[in-house]
């Protein structure tokens, strides 16, 4: 198991630039990457299996935006209608481009698996950096854990919906959805442990399926779908079935479906320590995946709207997923619809593999810095001796305890589906609230820094490095290769923060005015309880253990 050498606080990093080099058999690229990680105080213990194309495949496989737009049709149809779906997707797409071009500046500067909480520790004023970093770590973890279980929930219930479509006499039971959720989690665990060394190759194949599947479904819809829907019904028809006072308010409430379709873009952040040349490869893969997936997603949204003859039937489909009914309206074939829906289910199952990988790395990184209970166990990875005993491939290191923990939590949260149908909406909102809270904290502090609040951020002549300033304990940061300089960078940073604040606020809203208990949005309750627990745990125990990102070398 991994053993940490001398540990120091982040504020001591200025005197820790010379970490130990990797093994003599490592490549020059690995040595450079590991030296960069050593400047950030971290020791490299995970194998760098990902290059640019494979981490791009990983990002696209987790993002699955065009597939996600199909699954997220219902909220947008209720609040916004066809026009709201089109313009809402464009707004969310542009907003995410701004958000992640901002966050990519940080990952290029400090590529660690900790991601947001590590950056907050670097950016925040010294007097509050540890507390803000700690809370950000919990928000990130909650967001990813919510994404993990909601993705498994989606896959399981979509399988039930497909069976309902093919066999109308079938009555779906909630416990069956939970069992299918567990099966999805089991598949993800096996891929992330037993065959983890070939995970990059698997993600590359999934990228191919992601692209070919898009064209297969798009061409089928355009070829066989009815061409009776006028353009005005797609681009000018607004709906407000949620009963909100204004159409504008209804539009913003309906955005959450597409926000969730873009959820998980930061997956590559948490795989940095397994990626070659992460300061360049990770930002490029993230930005390209958002651009590429945005084009595919927008095309799919428009195609679906043009072939939908009955929005009411789609919204009230017995399958629970409007896209299955829309496929049937377009093809008039149950067999063809089943094949198309089966492809969507396969892609979401594939996404769970990447989601669990990112979630487990976040667990491992935060535990490595003593931010979680049982951190000594959760921060362990399988070493060569352990791999001989457990038959795990010896070409990689696996945070097996972190993988086990996130899978168990997902299974336990999935049980709540048996008691309430609002679980999915609550988990989706928790995912959005948690992740966007962490994004907003990191991006807000970056804006605070770059506006000249007593901090300097010089252009580097070498790899990005973090150095302690003399005297006051503030930190001087060096830009990485990915950087939007000057006024354009400040404007982009400001727009990103404004967009995230808007999404964060509306993530707490229900879909309808005066909702009944079965239509409530319990995200405020879940997010609040998680935040309160983390604060209490920090004050009672973690304050003595958590000192911010620990310097290992």
């Amino acid at each position: 198991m991994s053993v940490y050498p001398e540990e120091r606080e982040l504020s001591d990093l200025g005197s820790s630039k010379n970490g130990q080099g990797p093994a003599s058999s490592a490549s020059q690229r690995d040595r450079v990457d590991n030296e960069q990680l050593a400047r950030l105080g971290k020791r490299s213990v995970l194998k760098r299996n990902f290059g640019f194309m494979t981490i791009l495949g990983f990002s696209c496989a987790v993002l699955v935006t065009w597939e996600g737009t199909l699954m997220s049709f219902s909220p947008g149809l209720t609040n916004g209608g066809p026009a709201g779906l089109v313009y809402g997707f464009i707004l969310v797409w542009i907003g995410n481009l701004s958000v992640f071009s901002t966050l990519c500046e940080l990952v290029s500067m400090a590529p660690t698996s900790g991601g947001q909480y590590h950056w907050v520790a670097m950016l925040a004023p010294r007097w509050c950096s540890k507390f803000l970093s700690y809370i950000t770590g919990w928000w990130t973890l909650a967001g990813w854990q919510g994404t993990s279980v909601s993705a498994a929930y989606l896959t399981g219930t979509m399988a039930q919906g497909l069976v309902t479509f093919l066999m109308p006499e079938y009555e779906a039971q909630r416990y069956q959805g939970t069992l299918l959720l567990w099966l999805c989690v089991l598949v993800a665990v096996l891929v992330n442990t037993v065959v983890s060394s070939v995970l990059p190759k698997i993600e590359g194949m999934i990228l191919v399926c992601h692209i070919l599947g898009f064209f297969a479904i798009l061409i089928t819809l355009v070829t066989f779908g009815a061409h009776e829907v006028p353009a005005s019904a797609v681009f000018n028809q607004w709906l407000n079935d949620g009963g909100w006072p204004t159409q504008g308010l209804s539009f913003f409430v309906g955005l959450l479906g597409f926000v969730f379709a873009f959820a998980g873009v930061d997956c590559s952040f948490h795989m940095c320590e397994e990626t070659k040349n992460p300061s360049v490869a990770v930002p490029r893969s993230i930005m390209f995946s958002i651009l590429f997936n945005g084009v595919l997603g927008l095309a799919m949204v428009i195609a679906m709207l043009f072939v939908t003859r009955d929005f009411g039937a789609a919204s009230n489909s017995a399958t629970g997923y409007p896209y299955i009914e829309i496929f049937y309206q377009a093809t008039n074939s149950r067999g063809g619809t089943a094949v198309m829906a089966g492809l969507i289910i396969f892609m979401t199952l594939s996404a769970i593999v990447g989601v669990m990988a990112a979630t487990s790395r976040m667990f491992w990184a935060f535990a490595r810095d003593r931010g979680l209970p049982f951190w000594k166990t959760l921060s362990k990875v399988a070493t060569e001796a352990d791999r001989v005993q457990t038959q795990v491939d010896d070409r990689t290191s696996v945070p097996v305890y972190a993988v086990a923990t996130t899978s168990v939590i997902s299974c336990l949260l999935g049980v709540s589906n048996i008691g309430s149908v609002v679980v999915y909406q609550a988990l989706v909102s928790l995912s959005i609230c948690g992740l966007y809270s962490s994004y907003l904290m990191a991006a807000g502090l970056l804006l605070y820094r770059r506006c000249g609040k007593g901090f300097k951020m010089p252009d580097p002549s070498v790899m990005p490095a973090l150095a302690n300033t003399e005297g006051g304990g503030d930190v001087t940061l060096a830009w990485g290769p990915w950087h939007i300089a000057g006024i354009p960078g400040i404007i982009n940073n400001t727009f990103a923060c404004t967009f995230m604040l808007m999404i964060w606020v509306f993530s707490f809203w229900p879909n309808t005015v005066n909702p009944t208990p079965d239509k409530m949005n319990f995200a405020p309750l879940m997010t609040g309880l998680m935040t309160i627990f983390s604060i209490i745990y920090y004050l009672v125990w973690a304050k003595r253990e958590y000192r911010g990102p620990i310097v290992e070398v």
Side-chain angles (χ1 to χ4, degrees), residues 109-269:
M109 183 189 307
T112 73
S113 295
Q116 293 93 301
Y117 82 85
H118 194 112
W119 305 331
V120 167
M122 298 189 322
L123 296 168
R126 296 301 92 193
W127 63 271
C128 62
S129 65
K130 294 177 185 177
F131 177 74
L132 293 182
S133 169
Y134 179 81
I135 296 299
T136 302
W138 275 92
W139 283 337
T140 309
L141 199 56
W144 270 106
Q145 187 63 65
T147 303
S148 180
V149 66
S150 58
Y153 174 90
L154 274 172
T155 308
T157 53
M158 278 194 296
Q160 282 187 295
L162 182 56
V163 174
T164 300
F165 173 76
L166 295 173
M167 302 171 59
E169 68 277 8
Y170 167 69
E171 294 184 6
Q173 303 296 321
R174 294 178 190 169
Y175 79 88
Q176 295 169 341
T178 297
L179 292 176
L180 288 170
L181 182 154
W182 289 356
L183 179 61
C184 295
V185 172
L186 176 61
V187 171
V189 170
L190 292 176
V191 175
N192 274 281
T193 53
V194 178
V195 294
S196 62
S197 62
V198 296
L199 180 59
K201 296 180 180 178
I202 292 174
E203 298 296 347
M205 291 186 290
I206 292 172
L207 175 60
V208 174
C209 294
H210 176 66
I211 298 172
L212 295 180
F214 165 79
F215 286 106
I217 290 181
L218 184 71
I219 293 172
T220 301
L221 291 175
V222 173
T223 302
F224 294 99
H227 300 281
E228 305 168 357
V229 180
S232 59
V234 173
F235 298 103
N236 297 325
Q237 183 181 356
W238 298 84
L239 296 176
N240 182 7
D241 292 338
W244 298 102
T246 65
Q247 182 63 60
L249 188 57
S250 174
F251 168 76
F252 284 107
V253 172
L255 289 178
L256 288 190
F258 287 142
V259 173
F260 185 69
F262 278 96
V265 184
D266 62 313
C267 60
S268 299
F269 294 165

Side-chain angles (χ1 to χ4, degrees), residues 460-474:
S461 57
V462 292
M463 300 290 288
L466 185 64
N468 201 44
T469 58
E470 297 181 2
D474 289 332

Side-chain angles (χ1 to χ4, degrees), residues 12 22 84 87 133 185 196 207 215 285-286 326 355 359 405 407 453:
D12 297 327
Y87 303 122
S133 169
V185 172
S196 62
L207 175 60
F215 286 106
S285 69
I286 286 177
I326 295 174
V355 169
T359 307
T405 300
S407 62
K453 299 297 181 180

